[in-house]
Amino acid sequence: MSKRNFLEQEAPANYVAGLGRGATGFTTRSDIGPAREGPSEEAIKAALARRAEQQGLAPPTAYGADKKKDDDDDNDPRFQDPENEVGLFAGGAYDEDDDEADRIYQSVDEKMEKRRKTQRELREKAEREEYEAKNPKIQQQFADLKRALSTVTDDEWASLPEVGDLTGRNRRARQAMRQKFYPTPDSVLAGAASGSEFETSVQEDGTATSASADQVDGTMTNFVNIGKAKTKVLEARLDRSINAGTSTSDSASGATNIDPKGYLTSLSRSTTQSAEQIGDIKRVRELLESVIRTNPKHGPGWIAAARLEEVAGKMVPARSVIQRGCEHCPKNEDVWLEAMRLNETHNAKIIVANAVKHNPKSVRLWVEAMKLESDPREKKKVIRKALDIIPQSVVLWKEAVKLEADPNDAKILLARAVELIPLSVELWLALARLETFENAQSVLNKARKAIPTSYEIWLAAARLQEQQGNANKINVMKRAVQALARVEAMPSREDWIKEAEKCEDEGAVETCQAIIRETLGWQLEEDDGRKKIWTDDAESCIARGKYETARAIYAYALRVFYNKKNLWRAAAELEKNHGTKEALWSLLEKAVEACPQSEVLWMMLAKEKWQAGEVDGARIVLGNAFNQNPNNEDIWLAAVKLEAENQQHEAARSLLATARREAGTDRVWIKSVAFERQQGNSDAALELVNEGLQLYPKADKLWMMKGQIYETENKLPPAREAYNAGTRACPKSVPLWLLFARLEENAGVLVRARSILDRARLAVPKCPELWCESVRIERRGGNTTQAKTLMAKALQECPHSGLLWAESVWYLEARTHRRPRLVEAIEKVGNDPILYVAVARNFWAERKLPKAMNWFEKAILVDPDYGDTWAWYWKFLVQHGNEEKREDVLSKLTVTEPRHGEVWQRVAKDPKARYKNPEEILKAVAKELDER
């Protein structure tokens, strides 16, 4: 078949000639047939509506019905007109079924909308009210103020100040207009530059030399004339000062009377004010002038204007302003008092005379008038004249009594005062203080009848009886409580405690105790937690230093809760810290009688007896404790300690043997081994350890002591075997693992020490002590890189350990990086004594000694039982503290008696340090810290 020519081939489908060169195809009517336009949408709607009307039906939803749709759904294609559907049903015809479905859906929607309408409206209303409450309009915010304007009178409207230009907008505009600049010709600048040149040499006539001798410009500086002018100004000032301070006779005779001290004081007061201060004073002056001009009856405005002038250093205008204020506000005593303050004494007397004429009932003015007088007689005249006008003033009567030097005259005045003012408690009490005992009783009885609701009068009566030694015979406070409760004037418990503290401060101890005894249980029921409330009250009093009040509270609480050993211990601590030895013994004897089963109270009493040197008394106490608590290990061990401290070793050994038979516990065996080690009997100690381990194989301390005995005798294989057996029997004992690892490290076998610590961390996960020991082994072995790697893992596993952070910062960080790392550590760890010690040591290294001392004290406050903190603080004070501070630390150490600490425990539990007191242990620990 021959291939046809290209021009003779058929055109491909949809080919349009010339399309490649930009031509476009077109379609004619002959291609699609005759054109005819269908009915419009409006015509279709009208036809369907007419058909529905003829059939008696509702118009179709798509065309005739009104739709209730939200504005947000207008563009949603799911709810468009059925004739305009797109997609799958775009070519479907809308028929009667569709119309009926639309009507059904519409009826359902309307019904659902009616059901939800009420709830929706309530919800919308609540949301609207909440929004308006949170975002009120400005009109609503000022609604109450607008309503209050209805009460403003015409005079108040007229007295409102005029609104001036307070913003300064126009003033700034005027200043801007005056500050316009114009370019200056070059000739003027050149002339000014050449004319202002001068040399630094001075001729004999005082003029500066110039380029030519015959040219003397007006701008040349004459230094001699300047010096003379300054001298004349200084002389003029001195002359004015002389004339101001010289009397007439001195001026006539030519003598001077200058007070150098006062002159220098006046010079110090004459401070130079800056331009800004002067501008501020001017603005405030204008504002205050507007205030007093628009409302001249406003006293504070006059006072403020006068004080402004005083601040500006203008005393004469200040006095003038306040004088005008007195004229406009004659009934305002504050204005008169300000005028008296601004004037001298002579003028102030004249002013106060006018003031009391206008204000005869003002007590303050009469008192100030009395103070202006220097003669006591004149003072009395003023006060008595004031009392004639104001006889009901307590203040004036008190001032009158103060002026009387004779107590009899004062009693006469007070007797008259209480007649005129029978409801003044102060006057009754003052009169009672001046009378004898019998007369004071009579006065207080009259006062009690006049003022039956006053508890102060009852307190005064109780103190009066205490002064006469009748406090135990006459219970005034009991009658006081009954009387005050009868008239419903009984103060609260807290108020009575405050009054008791006041009595303690004034030395009325018996009255203080009577107040607590009669009022502490007021309005407290048995179910109100009285023990907790009274304990808190006592602790609060101790914190405020009111020890007698706290002692009275504990005494009352112990009468109610006689068998509560915690209350007895708290009371004993109070006596121990703030009482006497005899009072403590007496209290503890009562305590063991009330709580015979409390071994703690028995041991406290025995310890106090022993520390006081009464060893036999301590033995008697412990014997009584044995009778009340047989086979109690604490009492057994206390008896052993007593005998051992008094060098009665055989008695102590016998007691331990009896204790092992009758009260056999692992603790008794441990104390027995420790006692033999202290005596140097290693064989006996080892025998006791083996016997104890047969009875108590889970006692880790026995395994540790066995290993330490072998280690002391340099028997490393038996020690290693003991530690190994102990770790198998007690895998959770951290000190046992540490001793085992340190044994291998001291033997030089670091590989085995690492292995032991790895096993320990598996047995006791997340233990900071084990991680820290692993880091220290690497650090002491010189492997710093491995130490840092282990420390990173340790901080990931124990991020809140102060021990790890302190070790990391102090030994693995550069000096310059310590402070930021310490800040980070404090943020993560919080209160930790070891970390606080690291912070203090860092400040110590930086020579910031006050901060270092502050952080050492913080560390002690966080945990006073941690002995290493005390040792570091002592080491610091030895170098940088004073003797008083060191004595204070030793006294607090004796009271606290710390028992824990990494180095402290190692030193304190050393058999060689058995008889050392806390002070000696402190110094030994500090010495060991120096060697670390």
Side-chain angles (χ1 to χ4, degrees):
M1 180 178 180
S2 61
K3 186 176 181 180
R4 299 177 63 181
N5 189 9
F6 173 76
L7 297 176
E8 295 177 357
Q9 293 180 1
E10 295 181 358
N14 299 328
Y15 171 74
V16 179
L19 185 61
R21 61 179 182 274
T24 58
F26 56 89
T27 305
T28 62
R29 182 173 295 177
S30 59
D31 296 326
I32 61 176
R36 182 177 60 188
E37 184 178 1
S40 63
E41 183 178 354
E42 290 77 7
I44 294 173
K45 288 181 180 181
L48 291 174
R50 284 195 301 270
R51 186 180 67 178
E53 185 177 0
Q54 292 174 1
Q55 296 176 357
L57 301 175
T61 305
Y63 299 104
D66 296 328
K67 295 184 178 181
K68 297 181 180 179
K69 299 187 294 183
D70 297 336
D71 296 338
D72 296 340
D73 297 337
D74 290 343
N75 297 325
D76 195 337
R78 297 177 297 172
F79 308 109
Q80 296 296 331
D81 195 282
E83 291 296 327
N84 297 329
E85 289 179 346
V86 296
L88 180 61
F89 302 100
Y94 188 80
D95 52 10
E96 295 180 0
D97 294 338
D98 296 332
D99 184 67
E100 182 180 5
D102 288 339
R103 287 197 302 273
I104 292 172
Y105 279 117
Q106 181 183 355
S107 64
V108 173
D109 291 340
E110 290 176 355
K111 185 175 182 180
M112 295 300 294
E113 185 178 6
K114 288 180 181 178
R115 291 176 58 184
R116 299 170 180 167
K117 181 178 180 181
T118 304
Q119 298 179 358
R120 184 177 68 254
E121 289 178 352
L122 292 176
R123 186 179 67 256
E124 291 176 353
K125 182 180 179 181
E127 292 176 354
R128 183 170 61 255
E129 291 177 353
E130 183 180 1
Y131 177 78
E132 291 177 355
K134 293 182 179 179
N135 304 280
K137 297 181 181 179
I138 297 179
Q139 183 179 5
Q140 296 175 352
Q141 295 178 8
F142 289 91
D144 55 341
L145 299 178
K146 288 183 178 180
R147 287 193 298 269
L149 291 177
S150 61
T151 61
V152 179
T153 62
D154 296 338
D155 295 337
E156 291 175 345
W157 276 110
S159 62
L160 290 176
E162 298 293 337
V163 180
D165 184 16
L166 301 180
T167 61
R169 182 185 304 170
N170 298 332
R171 183 173 65 255
R172 289 193 294 269
R174 292 193 298 269
Q175 291 177 357
M177 292 178 61
R178 290 195 296 268
Q179 290 178 357
K180 290 183 179 180
F181 297 97
Y182 299 94
T184 305
D186 295 341
S187 59
V188 176
L189 296 176
S194 61
S196 62
E197 294 178 354
F198 63 93
E199 296 181 2
T200 58
S201 60
V202 180
Q203 296 180 356
E204 294 181 357
D205 58 355
T207 60
T209 59
S210 61
S212 59
D214 56 349
Q215 290 180 351
V216 180
D217 198 312
T219 61
M220 307 304 284
T221 304
N222 193 327
F223 296 101
V224 176
N225 292 338
I226 289 175
K228 291 180 179 179
K230 289 184 177 180
T231 303
K232 290 181 179 179
V233 171
L234 181 59
E235 290 176 354
R237 290 182 179 177
L238 291 175
D239 291 340
R240 285 198 298 271
S241 301
I242 293 170
N243 295 332
T246 308
S247 61
T248 306
S249 59
D250 292 339
S251 300
S253 61
T256 61
N257 186 16
I258 298 178
D259 182 11
K261 185 177 181 181
Y263 177 67
L264 293 176
T265 306
S266 63
L267 287 179
S268 65
R269 288 184 177 179
S270 60
T271 57
T272 304
Q273 295 180 343
S274 63
E276 292 80 2
Q277 293 175 341
I278 294 173
D280 293 339
I281 292 174
K282 289 182 178 179
R283 286 192 293 272
V284 177
R285 185 182 289 118
E286 293 176 0
L287 180 61
L288 292 176
E289 287 177 355
S290 175
V291 170
I292 60 179
R293 183 174 61 254
T294 55
N295 188 8
K297 300 297 183 181
H298 186 60
W302 291 102
I303 296 174
R307 290 185 179 178
L308 176 67
E309 300 298 338
E310 182 185 9
V311 171
K314 300 179 179 180
M315 291 301 298
V316 176
R319 294 168 182 166
S320 176
V321 169
I322 202 64
Q323 182 179 1
R324 290 165 50 204
C326 294
E327 295 173 358
H328 286 87
C329 306
K331 297 297 183 182
N332 193 319
E333 62 180 12
D334 292 328
V335 178
W336 289 105
L337 292 173
E338 186 68 17
M340 295 163 56
R341 187 184 68 82
L342 292 175
N343 283 272
E344 298 177 353
T345 305
H346 178 70
N347 295 333
K349 291 181 180 180
I350 300 174
I351 293 171
V352 77
N354 295 328
V356 296
K357 289 180 181 178
H358 290 89
N359 303 273
K361 297 292 184 179
S362 176
V363 176
R364 295 171 61 192
L365 291 176
W366 283 109
V367 173
E368 291 298 327
M370 181 268 296
K371 291 181 179 179
L372 289 174
E373 300 292 341
S374 57
D375 188 5
R377 294 182 180 179
E378 297 298 328
K379 288 179 180 287
K380 293 180 182 179
K381 287 182 181 180
V382 174
I383 286 296
R384 290 175 181 175
K385 187 175 181 181
L387 288 173
D388 292 338
I389 300 174
I390 320 172
Q392 302 296 327
S393 174
V394 178
V395 176
L396 292 178
W397 282 107
K398 290 170 67 177
E399 293 293 337
V401 171
K402 290 179 181 178
L403 294 175
E404 297 295 338
D406 189 0
N408 295 323
D409 296 337
K411 285 192 288 186
I412 295 173
L413 282 176
L414 286 172
R416 178 60 179 165
V418 296
E419 291 179 4
L420 295 174
I421 316 173
L423 298 181
S424 174
V425 178
E426 297 179 84
L427 296 179
W428 283 108
L429 296 180
L431 179 58
R433 281 193 291 268
L434 293 176
E435 295 286 355
T436 60
F437 173 67
E438 292 78 9
N439 294 336
Q441 279 186 319
S442 176
V443 169
L444 290 176
N445 289 331
K446 293 179 181 179
R448 178 171 50 81
K449 294 178 182 178
I451 317 173
T453 59
S454 173
Y455 66 89
E456 294 92 345
I457 297 174
W458 287 102
L459 290 176
R463 297 186 60 182
L464 180 64
Q465 295 296 334
E466 181 181 356
Q467 292 174 2
Q468 296 298 319
N470 300 329
N472 296 326
K473 300 178 182 179
I474 303 175
N475 194 347
V476 178
M477 288 307 305
K478 184 176 181 180
R479 296 170 53 193
V481 171
Q482 295 173 354
L484 293 173
R486 192 180 308 117
V487 296
E488 297 181 356
M490 185 70 176
S492 63
R493 289 180 55 262
E494 292 75 12
D495 294 335
W496 280 118
I497 292 175
K498 291 179 182 178
E499 293 299 329
E501 292 177 353
K502 291 181 182 178
C503 292
E504 179 183 352
D505 292 337
E506 296 171 1
V509 177
E510 294 182 358
T511 304
C512 168
Q513 295 173 353
I515 292 172
I516 296 299
R517 183 174 61 251
E518 300 298 334
T519 63
L520 190 64
W522 177 254
Q523 291 183 344
L524 283 180
E525 302 296 336
E526 294 183 2
D527 298 335
D528 293 337
R530 295 180 297 173
K531 177 184 172 184
K532 178 68 168 58
I533 294 174
W534 293 338
T535 304
D536 294 341
D537 292 339
E539 291 176 354
S540 300
C541 293
I542 293 173
R544 292 190 293 268
K546 304 298 184 292
Y547 306 119
E548 292 294 337
T549 307
R551 189 175 287 112
I553 293 173
Y554 278 131
Y556 182 83
L558 287 171
R559 282 196 296 270
V560 178
F561 301 101
Y562 185 69
N563 297 321
K564 297 296 183 180
K565 60 181 181 181
N566 292 334
L567 282 176
W568 286 107
R569 290 186 63 183
E573 290 294 333
L574 174 62
E575 295 296 341
K576 180 179 180 181
N577 297 328
H578 308 287
T580 60
K581 179 177 64 175
E582 291 76 12
L584 177 59
W585 288 5
S586 175
L587 180 68
L588 287 174
E589 288 173 357
K590 295 178 182 178
V592 296
E593 183 180 354
C595 305
Q597 305 301 322
S598 176
E599 66 275 4
V600 177
L601 296 175
W602 285 105
M603 288 189 292
M604 289 180 65
L605 179 58
K607 182 178 180 180
E608 294 299 327
K609 294 273 188 180
W610 169 56
Q611 289 182 347
E614 296 188 7
V615 180
D616 295 334
R619 290 194 180 101
I620 294 172
V621 170
L622 290 176
N624 296 330
F626 278 126
N627 297 330
Q628 297 292 336
N629 301 273
N631 299 329
N632 186 286
E633 67 171 12
D634 292 326
I635 299 177
W636 279 108
L637 295 178
V640 171
K641 182 178 180 181
L642 176 64
E643 300 298 339
E645 293 290 344
N646 289 279
Q647 306 297 324
Q648 301 295 326
H649 304 305
E650 293 299 329
R653 188 176 287 108
S654 176
L655 286 173
L656 283 172
T658 307
R660 288 197 300 274
R661 289 193 305 270
E662 297 184 3
T665 61
D666 57 344
R667 187 180 172 201
V668 173
W669 284 93
I670 291 170
K671 293 295 183 180
S672 301
V673 175
F675 177 76
E676 296 297 341
R677 290 186 65 195
Q678 292 162 8
Q679 302 304 316
N681 300 328
S682 300
D683 296 336
L686 189 58
E687 183 179 355
L688 287 174
V689 164
N690 292 327
E691 292 179 8
L693 287 175
Q694 292 177 3
L695 297 174
Y696 307 99
K698 298 294 183 180
D700 58 340
K701 289 188 177 181
L702 290 175
W703 289 109
M704 286 188 281
M705 297 175 84
K706 182 178 181 179
Q708 287 174 342
I709 292 172
Y710 283 125
E711 194 173 353
T712 304
E713 297 176 353
N714 294 323
K715 298 178 180 180
L716 298 184
R720 184 180 293 112
E721 183 180 355
Y723 288 142
N724 192 13
T727 54
R728 288 196 303 269
C730 309
K732 299 296 183 181
S733 176
V734 175
L736 192 56
W737 286 107
L738 294 177
L739 288 174
F740 195 7
R742 288 169 185 167
L743 173 68
E744 300 296 346
E745 182 186 7
N746 294 333
V749 189
L750 296 180
V751 177
R752 188 175 295 174
R754 295 191 188 101
S755 175
I756 290 170
L757 290 175
D758 291 340
R759 288 164 48 203
R761 291 198 302 272
L762 292 175
V764 189
K766 296 184 179 181
C767 181
E769 290 80 5
L770 295 175
W771 279 106
C772 185
E773 189 64 24
S774 299
V775 173
R776 288 175 178 175
I777 284 178
E778 301 298 339
R779 178 172 57 81
R780 289 192 289 259
N783 195 354
T784 308
T785 305
Q786 182 64 20
K788 291 182 178 180
T789 304
L790 285 174
M791 181 59 71
K793 294 180 181 179
L795 290 176
Q796 288 180 356
E797 189 169 345
C798 306
H800 303 294
S801 171
L803 175 64
L804 292 175
W805 278 104
E807 183 75 16
S808 173
V809 171
W810 195 254
Y811 293 105
L812 302 179
E813 296 289 343
R815 182 183 294 271
T816 56
H817 297 166
R818 287 179 182 173
R819 178 174 291 187
R821 292 286 287 170
L822 286 172
V823 172
E824 180 184 359
I826 292 175
E827 292 177 355
K828 289 188 176 182
V829 177
N831 294 333
D832 188 272
I834 302 176
L835 185 58
Y836 281 7
V837 167
V839 176
R841 292 175 62 191
N842 185 61
F843 282 122
W844 185 4
E846 294 177 356
R847 307 300 297 174
K848 297 179 180 180
L849 304 182
K851 289 186 177 181
M853 181 179 295
N854 186 21
W855 279 96
F856 276 127
E857 292 176 353
K858 284 183 180 180
I860 292 175
L861 290 176
V862 169
D863 187 4
D865 191 54
Y866 195 76
D868 289 7
T869 305
W870 292 92
W872 279 112
Y873 192 26
W874 176 260
K875 181 180 177 182
F876 171 80
L877 291 178
V878 168
Q879 297 183 17
H880 306 289
N882 51 29
E883 188 64 28
E884 180 181 359
K885 200 70 176 177
R886 288 191 287 268
E887 291 179 358
D888 182 60
V889 168
L890 291 177
S891 62
K892 292 180 179 179
L893 179 73
T894 305
V895 175
T896 306
E897 293 185 359
R899 298 180 182 276
H900 296 86
E902 184 179 359
V903 184
W904 185 277
Q905 284 182 302
R906 185 167 64 249
V907 174
K909 292 187 177 182
D910 190 349
K912 299 178 182 179
R914 177 66 183 89
Y915 301 105
K916 289 184 178 180
N917 55 31
E919 180 180 350
E920 295 173 344
I921 296 174
L922 175 70
K923 295 179 180 179
V925 173
K927 183 178 180 181
E928 185 165 342
L929 291 176
D930 289 334
E931 298 173 356
R932 292 182 63 183

